[in-house]
Amino acid sequence: MITIPSQDFVAFLNEISKKWQDEWNRNKLFEAEPKEGKKFFTTVAFPYPNSPFHLGHGRTYVTGDVYARFMRMRGYNVLFPMGFHFTGTPIITMADDVAKGDKDLLDIFQNIYEIPSDVIPRLSDPLFMANYFKEEIKMAMRELGLSIDWRREFTTIDPQFSSFIVWQFSKLQERGFVVKDTHPVGWCPVHNLPVGMHDTKGDVEPEIGEYVVIFFDTPLGRLAAATLRPETVFGAVAVWVNPKASYVIAEAWGSKIIISEKAADKLKFQMDGVNVIQRVSPSDLQKMNATNPVTGREIPVLPADFVDPNTATGVVMSVPAHAPFDYFYLKRSRVNLEIVPVISLEGYSDAPAKELVESTQVKNDADLKKLTEQLYKSEYNKGVMRADILSRVRDQLKESLSKVPGSSVPEARKLVTEVLSERGMASKVLEILNKPVYCRCGNEVVVKLLKDQWFLDYGNPEWKRLAKKLLANMRVVPDEVRKDFEYSLDWLQKRACARTRGLGTPLPWDKRWIIESLSDSTIYMAYYTVAHRIKALNLHATQLSEEFWDYVLLGKGDPAKVAEKSGVALETLQDLRRNFTFWYPLDMRHSGPDLIPNHLSFFIFNHAGIFPEELWPKGVAINGFILYEGKKMSKSLRNIIPLRKAVKNYGADVVRISLTSLVDMATDVNFTDSGARAIAETLKKFFDMLDMKSGSRIVGIPERWIQSKLHRIVKDSVPLMTDMKFREFINEILFNMSSYVNEYLEMVRSESREYNPDVIREVLEIWTRLIAPFAPHLAEEMWHRLGHTTFVSTEGWPSHDESKINDVLELEHEYHKQLVEDIRAILNVYKGKPSLVMIYVHDGTLTPLLREAVEIVTKGGNLKDFMSSKRPSSKEEAKTYQRLFQYVTEMGENNKRLALLGVNELEVLRKGVSYIRYKLNLDVEVEPFTNEVKTKFNKEALPLRPAIIVQ
RNA sequence: GCGGGGGUGCCCGAGCUAGGCCAAAGGGGGUGGACUGAGGCUCCACUGGAGUAGUCCUGCGCGGGUUCAAAUCCCGCCCCCCGCACCA
């Protein structure tokens, strides 16, 4: 006996995992080279090494590996490579944080990831960090048993890879997909650098929004009022300024304008030529009137504390009919102004702001803010522009604004903005919407309009068309996410493709810029096909010119000339070309759903824009995220489980199954300790079956039954696995198969004999191969213990023996089980000590009739169809038919199929008596149903529903 | 707001595109039992309610509707999660 106690099973798993990983490695099992036969090229998005892997990272990699291993066993020449993404700023930011001694980060590195204390200080060097975590992640991948061809590993800052990226951008440039434009970004005025989410305090993404600025003329200059609701300008009856803030008269937008001093400072980041002429006090402003540019009326300038001088222009127009703030403060300052309604809203009076403020107990600005949100929302969605506003409009605007009355708020907003902007009466200013956002250095982030920024123009109609075509021909697993891709491809517009800092490749034609990380990771799968050769041949980046890549990747140019020019041997060039064309196109790419709107969409665009159609990727597979004990893993919850730790605690195979196969692909999976243990226990059960070597060689009903179950599973396995229905598959081969084995052993026991070791072996021979993609280490170990000397990882997928699938046998056994259930249900309510169970079987005279009824029901027919086919001759007969038909509609599928087979029920039952006796632990007798039985017990029997009498 | 996905029994999670095999798979947990020197192993039974008979009642977010029949189809409502850009 080699029984391994369960508590030691994990240790055992870890031991064999190491052993087989080494064996695979030694035998170069996963190093793929072009050869005759079908190929399968699969990739998973490469990791960004700014931390070790945690449990959440594992799912996609294992999912990809499971599929790779399955395809390998299906006879495909599988290439599964891996690289590392060094491009971008987060590594730099994180290294900075280490240097600064960021407490939270150090705590996580020390106490969660258990990074040695002598290593931590060295992580302040970004390159050290990237390389350190790269190795760490590689270890995790190896320990998980990923079947990767490691010869092809690279990082995105390898000079050779950079040459590839340079080539990529040249191609995009040639096609006109790279354009120059201005672009607003969050900006730190002290750093003088763009600020993204990773650079802010609390990791907030600065949201940039647009305010419309409407100019109200005054004797001193144009008061620039900023608003998110320009359509309400018809009802602007005053202009607010903050009495405590300082204002300036400045040159901007080609005229003299009045804005807050702070606004003037920030405006300089958005346009050239902003010039402060002089300060002006709020009290001076209040002495003047301003002209509403739309109505032409003179309106007062009034003080209000709620106006934030630091937001937009620091000047606000006052629309008391629709802005609760405006109404409230006008009323409080006892200014009596006309309230001009602009929007009509069902369920409200003319001036909804007034109505809301007066019907609510407004205590502070927070209350007003709530009311404002409520009102803005309903007006935006349901409001209609009033007809009478046109009468207030000054003559020269009447015609161009004539379409405003009757239109919806969003339409009116667009129209008003357009009309006013065209006439120089309005402009726009950008502002951080979720302000204040602070840079890590402590300064408040502002909006800067970057000029001469480089973009990939994903809005280019021709490019979009190609991308959509690619998607249409691509396999998407699961199919539900195809919609997300369609939406994303449609929505993408210009996207900045270069940054001013971070690791990566300089833009070939403008070296001040570094190609940004989501732009240099779109077609890198192509690089894998030759990466190992470039390394082995020690090719230098300078040799890898545009012509070189043109030939290798596109077959363009004369190889002899390219060889001469680059110094790369002709045969080498041709070999590289062969490698590329052999593996490309990519067959499958695995990723999480977070990459759909960005990386995966760019992956589609760039392939579509650079490669000919026959080299476009064939498929993507998306899997959900990971929860740990029902919760999202997060720094704040401190529930991050390092992947390597999980592998150590549960065993690689257990983690692999837990991450990939407990739920459907698209749903988030919940990793729990109890779930992982359940998987380990079940795996162990199969492992322990290796010891079941002695017994009887009888092949009876139980043997034929379990063989039928086994081969049916094998038969269903290929479609399930091909569709990546891993949950269903694991459910079948792990949990169901295990209970089939139990059932088999019970069936054997009920015959008072031993199991058949040959059958157990047959189960294990097949099972080991079926589980191999999921639990490759255990499968390998068992495969060898079964006496094989090959690797199960490269064995063929098992095929089923159709002759062993026996429907009738399975149906009959289900029938026996159903009967046991029925009897148990009776015993449940039976008072007294049962000693004997009598089963009286229907005589079979109704069987042909039953079959006809089942046939009709199966075809979707109803009682009428049945009656008209039978034409009963008496009322009595009709009643029998009706009852029988009713019975059939309520029958289970199993019995229906038995009915169609027209089996002899008495015989079937006799075959099962010993099983039923065994399960109930009671004496059971089977007899034909007779009239005497009927009168004695007042019981009926129907076909497939014998009368049961408990005594 | 726009777009996508959900709300199922103590918990997790299938099923709902093709309505009847659904009191609703599977796993976890719980209760009882078998095995055992012992068990945290394994196996068996039970795990909505009622019941001296294989049944009946209630039930799959809430409220309606279609149908002989609805977790599954239709309408309305409530709630939750994710993405919305220059960031990996």
Side-chain angles (χ1 to χ4, degrees):
Chain A
M1 281 290 257
I2 30 163
T3 308
I4 288 159
S6 174
Q7 52 265 49
D8 292 340
F9 190 62
V10 169
F12 167 74
L13 281 179
N14 283 331
E15 189 189 307
I16 60 166
S17 295
K18 177 86 180 63
K19 174 169 102 190
W20 292 113
Q21 282 155 18
D22 290 346
E23 282 295 313
W24 296 332
N25 202 21
R26 194 162 29 248
N27 287 279
K28 304 183 189 305
L29 213 59
F30 307 124
E31 294 184 2
E33 284 298 324
K35 63 176 184 214
E36 278 296 303
K38 10 179 218 182
K39 65 94 187 178
F40 184 75
F41 180 22
T42 181
T43 58
V44 182
F46 54 17
Y48 187 79
N50 68 340
S51 277
F53 263 4
H54 58 69
L55 208 47
H57 291 108
R59 185 172 182 186
T60 311
Y61 294 93
V62 177
T63 302
D65 186 59
V66 165
Y67 205 64
R69 284 175 173 276
F70 168 68
M71 293 303 276
R72 206 174 275 123
M73 292 178 76
R74 289 283 289 158
Y76 286 83
N77 181 9
V78 173
L79 173 58
F80 178 23
M82 190 58 64
F84 293 89
H85 201 195
F86 280 23
T87 313
T89 49
I91 288 175
I92 291 178
T93 311
M94 201 168 265
D96 278 353
D97 287 347
V98 172
K100 276 187 213 150
D102 185 296
K103 258 187 143 184
D104 290 340
L105 185 67
L106 294 180
D107 175 53
I108 286 165
F109 280 173
Q110 236 158 43
N111 301 318
I112 290 183
Y113 289 117
E114 295 168 13
I115 296 170
S117 53
D118 57 317
V119 171
I120 291 180
R122 304 178 65 193
L123 295 175
S124 58
D125 170 7
L127 271 181
F128 178 86
M129 174 183 273
N131 280 309
Y132 181 80
F133 288 142
K134 183 193 86 173
E135 291 307 317
E136 171 74 26
I137 289 169
K138 242 170 99 175
M139 289 302 292
M141 288 178 164
R142 283 185 190 276
E143 285 165 9
L144 263 180
L146 302 188
S147 56
I148 291 169
D149 181 350
W150 282 110
R151 298 171 304 157
R152 299 166 190 263
E153 175 196 341
F154 65 87
T155 83
T156 55
I157 59 167
D158 296 350
Q160 293 85 349
F161 182 77
S162 275
S163 77
F164 167 77
I165 296 302
V166 166
W167 173 83
Q168 176 194 345
F169 270 73
S170 305
K171 294 303 112 181
L172 294 173
Q173 175 88 303
E174 277 168 25
R175 299 287 299 266
F177 296 151
V178 187
V179 295
K180 223 176 193 187
D181 202 351
T182 57
H183 179 67
V185 291
W187 186 265
C188 173
V190 176
H191 272 116
N192 263 326
L193 279 176
V195 178
M197 190 166 79
H198 303 284
D199 312 312
T200 62
K201 278 193 178 169
D203 282 351
V204 242
E205 176 76 42
E207 290 169 38
I208 296 169
E210 196 177 288
Y211 280 80
V212 173
V213 176
I214 301 176
F215 301 117
F216 291 72
D217 287 335
T218 73
L220 283 175
R222 315 178 79 186
L223 258 174
T227 177
L228 292 168
R229 308 187 69 198
E231 73 281 3
T232 61
V233 66
F234 302 94
V237 294
V239 177
W240 295 117
V241 292
N242 188 315
K244 290 173 191 140
S246 54
Y247 284 81
V248 294
I249 301 174
E251 267 310 332
W253 289 296
S255 53
K256 256 165 70 177
I257 56 147
I258 302 167
I259 54 178
S260 75
E261 192 175 8
K262 281 194 168 162
D265 289 343
K266 292 195 297 177
L267 204 54
K268 290 175 189 163
F269 292 102
Q270 295 183 29
M271 61 174 83
D272 292 332
V274 177
N275 229 334
V276 174
I277 300 166
Q278 67 176 91
R279 282 174 165 252
V280 56
S281 74
S283 53
D284 285 343
L285 295 175
Q286 287 160 39
K287 286 176 196 144
M288 311 182 298
N289 274 342
T291 311
N292 182 324
V294 172
T295 64
R297 297 182 196 219
E298 297 269 301
I299 57 175
V301 178
L302 299 170
D305 291 337
F306 72 87
V307 174
D308 179 3
N310 198 20
T311 297
T313 58
V315 180
V316 182
M317 65 182 188
S318 175
V319 187
H322 300 287
F325 268 101
D326 294 349
Y327 177 78
F328 183 80
Y329 281 97
L330 278 180
K331 196 179 156 198
R332 206 163 71 170
S333 53
R334 297 211 174 75
V335 184
N336 232 344
L337 291 174
E338 189 187 3
I339 293 173
V340 181
V342 179
I343 300 160
S344 66
L345 184 61
E346 220 185 290
Y348 285 93
S349 63
D350 283 354
K354 177 182 174 187
E355 192 184 331
L356 275 173
V357 170
E358 288 186 347
S359 64
T360 329
Q361 293 277 336
V362 176
K363 285 185 220 86
N364 47 36
D365 283 4
D367 291 344
L368 283 169
K369 210 172 164 194
K370 245 183 249 162
L371 292 181
T372 304
E373 274 165 23
Q374 182 191 334
L375 183 58
Y376 277 22
K377 204 170 160 183
S378 31
E379 286 187 338
Y380 186 82
N381 293 316
K382 292 174 198 153
V384 178
M385 300 302 285
R386 292 169 61 109
D388 54 4
I389 50 173
L390 210 55
S391 65
R392 303 179 61 89
V393 172
R394 57 209 285 195
D395 291 341
Q396 63 262 46
L397 289 175
K398 268 211 169 82
E399 205 193 316
S400 39
L401 290 174
S402 63
K403 280 191 184 136
V404 173
S407 64
S408 71
V409 167
E411 283 164 358
R413 181 170 300 174
K414 218 177 135 202
L415 213 65
V416 170
T417 308
E418 252 173 48
V419 169
L420 294 187
S421 301
E422 278 165 16
R423 286 164 180 71
M425 295 168 171
S427 187
K428 61 181 184 181
V429 65
L430 299 168
E431 183 57 282
I432 306 282
L433 289 181
N434 54 340
K435 77 198 306 274
V437 174
Y438 296 98
C439 176
R440 281 175 189 258
C441 71
N443 284 280
E444 191 174 344
V445 174
V446 300
V447 180
K448 174 162 171 94
L449 213 53
L450 281 183
K451 284 187 276 186
D452 300 339
Q453 166 80 279
W454 292 99
F455 290 83
L456 290 180
D457 187 10
Y458 293 128
N460 180 309
E462 171 61 9
W463 203 1
K464 245 189 214 311
R465 191 186 62 78
L466 289 170
K468 286 184 186 173
K469 190 174 177 196
L470 191 161
L471 175 65
N473 293 316
M474 186 169 72
R475 182 179 171 205
V476 178
V477 185
D479 203 49
E480 296 98 282
V481 299
R482 182 179 291 278
K483 274 182 242 155
D484 295 318
F485 275 106
E486 283 166 359
Y487 181 78
S488 168
L489 292 188
D490 248 331
W491 168 83
L492 279 167
Q493 293 300 328
K494 285 193 199 108
R495 186 193 154 87
C497 60
R499 299 206 68 187
T500 49
R501 66 186 193 122
L503 300 173
T505 304
L507 204 57
W509 58 84
D510 190 349
K511 301 262 158 84
R512 295 170 303 167
W513 294 93
I514 290 171
I515 294 168
E516 160 285 336
S517 62
L518 284 174
S519 303
D520 82 346
S521 60
T522 58
I523 57 164
Y524 68 90
M525 312 84 213
Y527 190 80
Y528 285 129
T529 62
V530 293
H532 59 314
R533 287 278 195 280
I534 288 176
K535 252 197 283 185
L537 295 164
N538 215 358
L539 297 184
H540 196 268
T542 50
Q543 297 176 280
L544 312 183
S545 58
E546 205 175 322
E547 294 80 26
F548 168 89
W549 288 113
D550 267 344
Y551 175 70
V552 172
L553 301 174
L554 295 176
K556 266 169 57 180
D558 177 358
K561 277 187 192 154
V562 176
E564 193 182 326
K565 219 176 147 191
S566 64
V568 179
L570 180 63
E571 309 82 75
T572 303
L573 267 176
Q574 285 166 335
D575 174 57
L576 294 177
R577 172 76 185 149
R578 252 195 315 276
N579 269 275
F580 174 72
T581 51
F582 178 81
W583 292 114
Y584 243 60
L586 181 70
D587 294 288
M588 187 55 72
R589 180 153 184 83
H590 291 263
S591 158
D594 51 328
L595 298 188
I596 295 172
N598 42 70
H599 164 70
L600 288 173
S601 290
F602 305 152
F603 156 78
I604 290 172
F605 266 102
N606 282 270
H607 272 92
I610 292 171
F611 290 108
E613 205 172 324
E614 64 272 16
L615 296 181
W616 288 357
K618 294 261 177 285
V620 290
I622 310 297
N623 54 258
F625 294 118
I626 309 273
L627 305 174
Y628 179 70
E629 299 291 350
K631 290 195 181 81
K632 223 174 172 166
M633 277 183 281
S634 75
K635 288 175 195 171
S636 56
L637 287 174
R638 293 193 54 88
N639 62 348
I640 297 171
I641 308 296
L643 190 55
R644 295 183 68 190
K645 195 171 182 180
V647 168
K648 211 155 128 200
N649 289 347
Y650 298 100
D653 291 343
V654 174
V655 171
R656 288 172 63 101
I657 295 172
S658 303
L659 293 183
T660 53
S661 313
L662 290 183
V663 296
D664 289 325
M665 279 275 277
T667 19
D668 293 352
V669 74
N670 184 13
F671 187 98
T672 60
D673 179 66
S674 57
R677 283 210 320 260
I679 290 165
E681 297 301 349
T682 316
L683 288 177
K684 183 176 178 296
K685 260 187 259 176
F686 281 95
F687 179 76
D688 289 343
M689 280 167 64
L690 285 169
D691 292 334
M692 297 173 69
K693 286 179 178 160
S694 59
S696 71
R697 248 77 196 178
I698 297 170
V699 176
I701 290 175
E703 281 73 23
R704 287 193 285 131
W705 178 82
I706 193 163
Q707 282 175 326
S708 181
K709 286 290 186 193
L710 177 68
H711 284 270
R712 191 183 295 281
I713 284 179
V714 175
K715 187 180 182 180
D716 294 341
S717 69
V718 173
L720 282 181
M721 287 297 290
T722 304
D723 291 348
M724 298 191 205
K725 302 210 163 132
F726 299 148
R727 191 204 95 247
E728 253 178 276
F729 181 74
I730 280 295
N731 207 21
E732 277 298 321
I733 68 161
L734 203 59
F735 300 113
N736 289 347
M737 195 64 222
S738 142
S739 59
Y740 294 152
V741 171
N742 286 337
E743 184 72 11
Y744 163 69
L745 294 175
E746 289 218 288
M747 288 164 83
V748 169
R749 252 177 259 135
S750 78
E751 291 183 5
S752 308
R753 64 176 174 91
E754 286 187 284
Y755 61 82
N756 184 332
D758 296 341
V759 171
I760 296 293
R761 186 180 168 95
E762 185 181 353
V763 169
L764 288 177
E765 285 274 348
I766 289 176
W767 185 83
T768 306
R769 279 176 285 162
L770 293 178
I771 200 77
F774 297 89
H777 309 96
L778 182 68
E780 207 67 85
E781 179 69 19
M782 287 176 68
W783 186 248
H784 285 256
R785 289 197 186 204
L786 284 166
H788 299 283
T789 51
T790 55
F791 287 105
V792 73
S793 302
T794 45
E795 271 296 316
W797 193 252
S799 50
H800 73 283
D801 180 347
E802 189 69 40
S803 72
K804 286 186 175 170
I805 295 177
N806 190 332
D807 280 339
V808 183
L809 204 68
E810 288 185 42
L811 289 172
E812 287 177 355
H813 187 64
E814 286 306 309
Y815 169 81
H816 297 149
K817 278 166 60 175
Q818 180 55 48
L819 214 48
V820 170
E821 289 298 309
D822 281 352
I823 295 167
R824 277 205 178 118
I826 294 169
L827 290 173
N828 250 342
V829 290
Y830 182 79
K831 300 269 164 84
K833 266 193 200 133
S835 55
L836 175 67
V837 177
M838 291 300 301
I839 302 172
Y840 296 103
V841 187
H842 190 269
D843 62 6
T845 47
L846 279 174
T847 305
L849 201 61
L850 183 79
R851 187 197 291 188
E852 284 178 59
V854 171
E855 274 164 7
I856 285 172
V857 168
T858 315
K859 274 187 235 145
N862 57 26
L863 182 62
K864 259 185 207 154
D865 302 325
F866 184 55
M867 284 303 197
S868 59
S869 80
K870 294 319 293 177
R871 297 176 178 264
S873 51
S874 68
K875 252 193 176 170
E876 195 58 33
E877 212 179 315
K879 228 174 183 175
T880 313
Y881 289 162
Q882 195 180 335
R883 219 176 283 148
L884 187 78
F885 193 83
Q886 181 62 34
Y887 169 61
V888 168
T889 58
E890 290 164 359
M891 234 164 130
E893 192 64 22
N894 192 65
N895 276 356
K896 276 187 197 158
R897 290 176 61 194
L898 273 177
L900 289 174
L901 287 166
V903 291
N904 181 329
E905 193 180 353
L906 190 59
E907 257 173 46
V908 171
L909 199 39
R910 290 214 159 116
K911 283 192 237 170
V913 174
S914 62
Y915 174 79
I916 297 168
R917 270 190 201 129
Y918 175 83
K919 291 294 277 186
L920 296 171
N921 199 21
L922 279 174
D923 199 12
V924 176
E925 294 295 335
V926 178
E927 297 285 339
F929 185 76
T930 58
N931 269 328
E932 292 85 77
V933 178
K934 183 178 177 171
T935 41
K936 191 170 167 197
F937 299 106
N938 189 26
K939 272 281 215 186
E940 279 288 1
L942 283 165
L944 301 175
R945 198 174 185 284
I948 298 164
I949 309 294
V950 176
Q951 293 168 349

